[in-house]
Amino acid sequence: MVGLFKHPKRNIRKLIKQGDYEKAIQLGKSLESEYSDDHDFMFIMGSVYFLVDNPKNALPYFEKAFKLNQNDVEMLRLKTNVHLALEQKDEAINCCEHILRIDPKNHEAHDLLDQLESL
């Protein structure tokens, strides 16, 4: 049991990889106060909620991850998808624009931005 808390983020990722999302969420929630300022932890938690099709719960984690590191393109991509799932077009556009400030050649963000702006 000691090993479980030696590398908690690694253990959460392992549970996710095994498809045990509920246990991953439970473990993450139990560690949240300890890792509240850890970008990777927030990204992992947002991702697991996104995987279980719960964008409403994923968004606060991605928002916190964004505050901790505004230059993580992968996190911004998932945050964009969460905004789209929640039908928050303007926020999704903002995420795409932010991605393009970091990575001007990001084709996925360009394409999605074009689609969103034409709606």
Side-chain angles (χ1 to χ4, degrees), residues 71-78 99 102-103 106:
N71 296 318
D72 182 344
V73 172
E74 181 64 18
M75 178 274 304
L76 284 163
R77 187 180 67 78
L78 289 175
I99 290 170
I102 299 165
D103 179 10
N106 188 303

Side-chain angles (χ1 to χ4, degrees), residues 3-18 27 31 35 40-41 44:
L4 181 63
F5 292 101
K6 192 171 183 179
H7 303 286
K9 291 187 291 186
R10 188 181 305 161
N11 288 314
I12 295 170
R13 283 188 187 110
K14 182 179 177 183
L15 289 168
I16 293 168
K17 189 174 183 176
Q18 294 171 344
L27 178 57
L31 299 167
Y35 289 90
D40 291 332
F41 178 82
I44 294 165

Side-chain angles (χ1 to χ4, degrees), residues 12-97:
I12 295 170
R13 283 188 187 110
K14 182 179 177 183
L15 289 168
I16 293 168
K17 189 174 183 176
Q18 294 171 344
D20 201 343
Y21 305 125
E22 211 44 55
K23 280 187 183 175
I25 289 170
Q26 288 174 358
L27 178 57
K29 293 295 276 180
S30 73
L31 299 167
E32 192 167 337
S33 63
E34 185 178 346
Y35 289 90
S36 64
D37 289 327
D38 185 313
H39 169 268
D40 291 332
F41 178 82
M42 293 297 150
F43 175 81
I44 294 165
M45 290 300 292
S47 297
V48 73
Y49 275 111
F50 186 71
L51 285 170
V52 298
D53 199 27
N54 191 336
K56 186 176 179 182
N57 283 353
L59 185 58
Y61 290 102
F62 287 127
E63 293 286 350
K64 178 71 176 194
F66 179 73
K67 288 179 185 175
L68 295 168
N69 179 0
Q70 297 183 3
N71 296 318
D72 182 344
V73 172
E74 181 64 18
M75 178 274 304
L76 284 163
R77 187 180 67 78
L78 289 175
K79 187 174 181 292
T80 302
N81 289 331
V82 166
H83 285 302
L84 291 172
L86 295 172
E87 298 180 6
Q88 298 172 341
K89 177 185 168 187
D90 291 339
E91 290 85 349
I93 288 172
N94 289 339
C95 285
C96 288
E97 290 171 343

